[in-house]
């Protein structure tokens, strides 16, 4: 059986301009996948995409629901749909328990939780298009099981839902 990435895929990668996201973007592009690259800084995205003709630059602020929705619309206009969404964007700030800072906690949660959920909302219609074309779409992101449970969320392994959670 072939691995999911054995043939070129249409992929959305968030958090594409640094760390794991940047390394993953380069590898996916080198492997011939069509990759929609998302991060906040357009200049960094353009520099990353410059050597590749299979990259789509889609700047967005994942903490802004409208910005993420627009990113999804741009990807839909160019790619038509997605086989894979890699929701990699996130932030890490350390909290000194002796000096609790609710603003810091809110920033991290807004980026890591709300940003991921906004991207899921934008990606699912695009993944469903692949399913409707009899492809096997996949959604990959980080939302720890304990957090999913506490929030009452259940995401399926692929985008085969019809409005179900």
């Amino acid at each position: 059986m072939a691995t999911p990435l054995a043939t070129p895929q249409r992929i959305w990668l968030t958090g594409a301009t640094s760390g794991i996201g940047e390394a993953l973007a380069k590898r996916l592009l080198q492997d011939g996948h069509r990759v929609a690259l998302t991060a906040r800084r357009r200049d960094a995205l353009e520099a990353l995409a410059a050597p590749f003709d299979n990259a789509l630059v889609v700047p967005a602020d994942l903490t802004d629901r409208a910005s993420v929705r627009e990113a999804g619309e741009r990807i839909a206009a160019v790619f038509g749909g997605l086989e894979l969404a890699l929701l990699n964007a996130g932030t890490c700030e350390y909290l000194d328990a002796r000096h609790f800072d609710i603003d810091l906690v809110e920033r991290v949660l807004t980026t890591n939780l709300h940003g991921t959920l906004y991207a899921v909302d934008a990606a699912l219609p695009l993944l469903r298009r692949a399913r409707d074309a009899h492809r096997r779409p996949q959604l990959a992101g980080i939302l720890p099981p304990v957090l999913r449970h506490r929030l009452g969320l259940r995401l399926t392994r692929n985008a085969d839902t019809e409005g179900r959670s």
Side-chain angles (χ1 to χ4, degrees):
M1 184 166 131
T3 62
L5 296 178
T7 60
Q9 306 285 309
R10 297 169 297 174
I11 301 170
W12 183 15
L13 174 63
T14 66
T17 57
S18 64
I20 293 169
E22 182 179 13
L24 187 55
K26 289 176 181 175
R27 176 63 186 263
L28 291 169
L29 290 164
Q30 289 167 353
D31 288 350
H33 301 285
R34 295 176 64 197
V35 184
L37 303 168
T38 296
R40 287 173 296 191
R41 293 183 20 241
R42 177 181 286 278
D43 59 331
L45 286 168
E46 289 175 348
L48 175 62
F52 304 99
D53 62 359
N54 51 330
L56 175 64
V57 171
V58 186
D61 177 355
L62 293 188
T63 66
D64 179 334
R65 186 183 299 185
S67 178
V68 179
R69 187 178 306 117
E70 289 170 11
E73 290 168 358
R74 170 127 166 82
I75 294 166
V78 176
F79 285 2
L82 292 171
E83 282 79 43
L84 179 60
L86 296 171
L87 309 180
N88 171 69
T91 189
C92 178
E93 294 186 54
Y94 295 96
L95 179 65
D96 181 346
R98 295 169 295 177
H99 306 287
F100 184 77
D101 181 352
I102 192 65
D103 293 328
L104 180 149
V105 173
E106 185 174 27
R107 278 193 311 272
V108 170
L109 285 175
T110 297
T111 300
N112 297 350
L113 177 61
H114 294 138
T116 299
L117 294 174
Y118 297 158
V120 167
D121 187 48
L124 282 176
L126 301 174
L127 293 164
R128 286 185 184 117
R129 289 181 186 180
R131 181 206 58 212
D132 293 343
H134 305 289
R135 309 260 335 232
R136 188 176 178 138
Q138 296 189 36
L139 174 66
I142 302 197
L143 192 56
V146 68
L147 189 53
R148 287 194 310 259
H149 175 72
R150 290 191 184 270
L151 293 172
L153 297 174
R154 182 179 63 79
L155 298 176
T156 60
R157 288 179 53 194
N158 58 34
D160 65 355
T161 61
E162 305 259 349
R164 297 179 306 228
S165 61

